[in-house]
């Protein structure tokens, strides 16, 4: 810092002696930052120079190899280089980032980045170094502050120096460069890789400047303000709204030594050297009573009393910065006393420099107290704010944040700021922190990529101005989660066989994707689409068929984040039957008491699993027979009485095991056709019983003669013939067995008619 204070003070002295007012801020245009700036290396100008190349350089389409050393000498208006005379020498590094050119001028040796021009100015070989502003600042900040200063103070200095550079471009346009490397501008000492903190401060504030009402701040700075900042109009001419007087409690730096004393004789010499009085004038005194002060406490004016060559007593009033520079004291924040015994004046004060804008000591102390560089700059440039000249990525947009594997992701990057000449973009894609691939820079602000792995992806978009030499000016990233393919693992169906008007319920089981699915269902019968649904989140589908037949249900699923029409499909089939019903009831005809009666039902429709039947038989509303459910569709029973009967039939389909139909049928059981009062009946008997036997035999085709109720020979012969025909003993007597056989034959013949 000690070196920085001395350098800055010398700058102020020269600045004032040349009577130059602060350079008026140009209207800022973005390209200025991105263009190379030209620095005239005035401190290195000499009649001969030695240069060493660290890296390959191009000279007149010829490559000068790394490690080469050359001498440049002056010969009139020409530069002698490699034995030839040139008006100027131009060297361009083939690799700007890594090449360094070393210049030795006398005993001073510095290294520099960038391009070089060597030309004759004021009878010296004058190097002009063209490089980007950020590289230039790395050779400036370390000469204004020490590398050991807190990083936030160095950052504040970097921003102030950047502002100074941009507001003073073309200051030496007539000589072919923008700024020189001396205290007339900002001291620039080239590249020094040992200044780690300086380099870091410049890098971490890259492109950042201080603005006031959207105008670049003229970032004046000094070594120390002694406790009060000063207004520009109190030092120079122009008032700047962001350079005001205010107390700075972080800077109370006293002069070292705190008091500077001059005798009148010494002041007589000093004031003539400073051209305050002429060589023929004679200093008399400083009028201490004439001193006026600004609110900051700095001396605003002081009268110098002197005698001219004719002996006339005169005075000159020193104002503004001359109250400091005329006496070669560190600042104008001082008190003045006179010692008549020694005829000497003592200046006792604080601060170092003009006190306008940034105080380097104040910045150091503020940074040590925890303030950021933005806090520091906002204090010293009242009402200003820090912003970046670099273009910014305003947003990075992905069309989706959740993506299914192998589906494309569209990335769009939007940017603003910079030189307004356009932007270049580069993309890097990471999967679970592994770099998958990257692109080269192009002017395409959109990018499409298709992920091949599941997991979290990071999309990094790098952007830089088309004029930028940086690796990138801004970078932003977006996260995308990639999910596995969607699969229908299975489909649950409540019934694969059912009746019309029954409900079928389909429930697909799905895995993969984000877990949020959309389903659609298509019902197909006989290759025709019966019904089809739109996509919905419902994973249960209910359908009631109206017709029998074979059906297919096609289930389509897609993830809510998928761009596919369908992610996966699966189908299930089911068969629909009409419900069974009883359409016919058959009974033995005619039916007779005490004889086996067969009941049979006929059904239609039903499933392919078969039916079961249950019979209930009633006589005069009394249940006389009841069966369990059975596979047989018929039942037999022997009624003991003739009369009216009722049969109730139930059918159960094995598909549902529910009773699907119930019907009641009425039928008649007839009295036995051959009925007698007593047995046996034999030869010689007469009466109605004989008539019954004669009538039965006649019906069956046996000749018994006239049915007269007399059991004679013809009747006897008829009985014998019948008994023989049915395998009974031919006794000619009607016993119980013969009577039963007569009834059986009679009923059989009736049934066959």
């Amino acid at each position: 810092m000690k070196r920085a204070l001395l350098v800055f003070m010398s700058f102020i002295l020269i600045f004032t002696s040349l009577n130059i007012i602060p350079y008026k801020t140009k209207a800022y245009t973005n390209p200025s930052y991105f263009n190379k700036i030209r620095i005239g290396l005035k401190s290195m100008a000499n009649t001969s120079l030695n240069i060493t190349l660290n890296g390959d350089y191009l000279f007149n389409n010829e490559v000068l190899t790394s490690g080469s050393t050359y001498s440049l000498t002056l010969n009139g208006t020409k530069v002698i280089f490699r034995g030839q005379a040139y008006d100027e020498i131009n060297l361009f590094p083939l690799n700007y980032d890594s090449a360094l050119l070393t210049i030795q001028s006398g005993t001073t040796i510095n290294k520099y980045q960038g391009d070089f021009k060597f030309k004759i100015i004021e009878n010296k070989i004058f190097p002009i170094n063209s490089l980007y502003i950020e590289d230039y600042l790395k050779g400036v900040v370390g000469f204004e502050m020490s590398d050991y200063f807190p990083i936030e103070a160095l950052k504040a200095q970097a921003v102030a120096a950047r502002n100074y550079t941009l507001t003073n471009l073309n200051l030496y346009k007539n000589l072919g460069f923008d700024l020189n490397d001396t205290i007339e501008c900002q001291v620039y000492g080239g590249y020094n890789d040992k200044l780690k903190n300086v380099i870091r401060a410049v890098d971490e504030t890259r492109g950042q400047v201080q603005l006031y009402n959207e105008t670049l701040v003229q970032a004046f700075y000094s070594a120390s303000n002694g406790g009060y900042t000063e207004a520009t109009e109190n030092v120079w001419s122009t008032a700047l709204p962001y350079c005001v007087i205010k107390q700075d409690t972080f800077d109370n730096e006293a002069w070292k030594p705190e008091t500077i004393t001059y005798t009148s004789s010494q002041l007589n010499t000093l004031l003539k050297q400073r051209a305050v009085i002429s060589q023929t004038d004679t200093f008399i005194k400083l009028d201490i009573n004439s001193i006026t002060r600004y609110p900051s406490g700095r001396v605003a004016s002081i009268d110098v009393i002197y005698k001219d060559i004719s002996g006339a007593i005169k005075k000159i009033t020193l104002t503004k910065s001359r109250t400091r520079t005329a006496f070669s004291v560190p600042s104008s924040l001082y008190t003045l006393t006179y010692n008549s015994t020694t005829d000497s004046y003592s200046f006792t004060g604080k601060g170092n420099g003009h006190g306008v804008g940034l105080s380097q000591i104040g910045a150091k102390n503020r940074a040590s107290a925890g303030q950021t560089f933005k806090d520091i700059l906002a204090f010293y440039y009242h009402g200003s704010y820090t912003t970046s000249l670099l273009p910014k990525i305003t947003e990075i947009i992905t069309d989706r944040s959740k993506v299914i594997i192998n589906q494309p992701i569209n990335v769009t990057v939007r940017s603003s700021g910079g030189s307004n000449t356009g932007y270049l973009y580069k993309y890097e894609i990471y999967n679970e922190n592994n770099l998958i691939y990257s692109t080269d820079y192009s002017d395409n602000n959109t990018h499409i990529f298709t992920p091949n792995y599941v997991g979290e992806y990071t999309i990094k978009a790098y952007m830089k101005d088309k004029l930028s030499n940086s690796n990138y000016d801004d970078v932003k990233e977006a996260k995308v989660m990639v999910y596995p393919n969607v699969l229908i693992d299975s489909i649950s169906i409540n019934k694969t066989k059912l009746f019309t008007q029954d409900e079928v319920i389909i429930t697909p089981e799905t895995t993969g994707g984000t877990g949020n699915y959309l389903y659609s269902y298509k019902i197909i019968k006989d290759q025709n689409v019966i019904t089809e649904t739109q996509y919905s989140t419902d994973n249960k589908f209910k359908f009631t068929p109206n017709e029998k037949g074979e059906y297919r249900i096609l289930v389509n699923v897609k993830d809510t984040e998928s761009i596919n029409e369908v992610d996966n499909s699966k189908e299930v089939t089911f068969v629909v039957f009409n419900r069974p019903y009883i359409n016919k009831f058959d009974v033995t005809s005619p039916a007779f008491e005490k004889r086996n009666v067969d009941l049979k039902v006929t059904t239609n429709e039903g499933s392919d699993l078969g039916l079961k039947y249950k019979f209930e038989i009633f006589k005069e509303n009394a249940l006389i027979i009841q069966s369990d459910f059975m596979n047989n569709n018929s039942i037999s029973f022997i009624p003991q009485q003739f009369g009216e009967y009722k049969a109730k039939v139930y059918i159960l389909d094995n598909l549902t095991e529910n009773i699907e139909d119930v019907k009641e049928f009425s039928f008649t059981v007839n009295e036995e056709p051959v009925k007698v009062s007593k047995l046996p009946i034999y030869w010689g008997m007469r009466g109605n019983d004989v008539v019954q036997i004669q009538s039965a035999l006649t019906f069956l085709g046996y000749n018994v003669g006239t049915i007269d109720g007399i059991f004679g020979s013809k009747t006897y012969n008829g009985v014998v013939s019948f008994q023989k025909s049915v395998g009974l003993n031919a006794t000619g007597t009607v016993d119980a067995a013969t009577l039963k056989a007569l009834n059986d034959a009679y009923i059989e013949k009736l049934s066959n008619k």
Side-chain angles (χ1 to χ4, degrees), residues 397 409-414 425 427 439 442-449:
I397 305 167
I409 300 171
N410 296 287
V411 183
T412 302
V413 182
R414 295 196 174 101
Y425 298 91
Y427 303 91
T439 69
S442 74
D443 58 3
N444 195 345
N445 74 320
T446 61
H447 183 66
I448 301 173
F449 81 97

Side-chain angles (χ1 to χ4, degrees), residues 146-164:
S146 294
D147 190 59
Y148 68 82
F149 266 37
I151 189 65
E152 293 301 311
L154 289 167
K155 287 181 180 180
Q157 180 64 67
V159 174
R162 191 176 291 111
N163 266 56
Y164 178 88

Side-chain angles (χ1 to χ4, degrees), residues 110-121:
N110 289 329
K111 295 179 181 179
Y112 301 91
Q113 287 181 273
D115 311 335
F116 268 91
K117 181 191 296 288
F118 296 90
K119 60 187 291 188
I120 306 301
I121 298 178

